Amino acid sequence: FKTPPVEVAINVASFNGGYNLFKSVNASKSEILDQIAVSMAGIVAEELVFGQELRSTGCENDVMKATANAGRYVRRYAMDGYNSMTCPTADALLRNSLDSTDVSIETIVTDQKLRAQTALTKHRDFLVTLSKRLMQDRKIDAKTFELIAKDHIAGLQPLDPNKDVNGDYLMRLERA
């Protein structure tokens, strides 16, 4: 998202209950794909730091969130080549296998996991530094995230609580 999360937390005892919190409202297609990549980044981070064989079951929520977002992207928002809602209820979204869309959903999640893998491999030093800080403090806010990131990631914009997260739409409308 090119901005720090509002908050990041971990639970070292169980690896369950960790989270990242980003400012968000209605998301564009690209922002939904970004959200899926962020969900998969937790899994990728575990694999990069500890190895695939030590990836924990704490990733369950990340997988569910990524799959649900990809499912909504395809089945409810008609953003992957479909022009209709193929799954009208949220309950059916997660429970039903709709063969015509399952491949699209798996492809989206896989592609976004690869994006996360590329980004975290490129910024491995930042990942390790941030992980060590989270192990120490358990939770960090946006300002702390910014301070840690400034030496590792170029172009990170400070979190502006007054900025409309969908502000790009106004700028594009003015250029139309």
Side-chain angles (χ1 to χ4, degrees), residues 56-170:
S56 74
T57 58
C59 71
E60 178 181 15
N61 192 51
D62 296 331
V63 173
M64 282 179 23
K65 195 176 204 179
T67 304
N69 276 337
R72 282 189 288 274
Y73 183 89
V74 172
R75 295 176 177 169
R76 298 199 63 190
Y77 307 145
M79 291 183 170
D80 192 54
Y82 294 88
N83 292 308
S84 61
M85 185 180 291
T86 60
C87 191
T89 67
D91 186 49
L93 175 72
L94 294 174
R95 290 192 204 205
N96 293 358
S97 173
L98 302 173
D99 292 338
S100 63
T101 58
D102 287 349
V103 172
S104 294
I105 291 166
E106 178 63 23
T107 299
I108 289 167
V109 173
T110 299
D111 289 349
Q112 297 317 305
K113 183 179 181 188
L114 290 172
R115 263 184 76 203
Q117 199 166 37
T118 300
L120 290 178
T121 299
K122 178 180 177 183
H123 299 291
R124 185 180 174 87
D125 290 343
F126 171 66
L127 171 64
V128 171
T129 301
L130 182 66
S131 298
K132 287 179 180 178
R133 182 65 179 266
L134 278 167
M135 293 290 283
Q136 174 188 321
D137 296 348
R138 304 286 193 256
K139 187 186 291 188
I140 61 171
D141 61 15
K143 289 291 181 202
T144 305
F145 188 98
E146 286 176 38
L147 288 171
I148 297 168
K150 73 178 174 134
D151 295 330
H152 299 276
I153 300 176
L156 184 73
Q157 301 297 310
L159 183 65
D160 180 354
N162 299 316
K163 182 182 178 217
D164 177 7
V165 292
N166 292 321
D168 195 37
Y169 289 101
L170 180 59

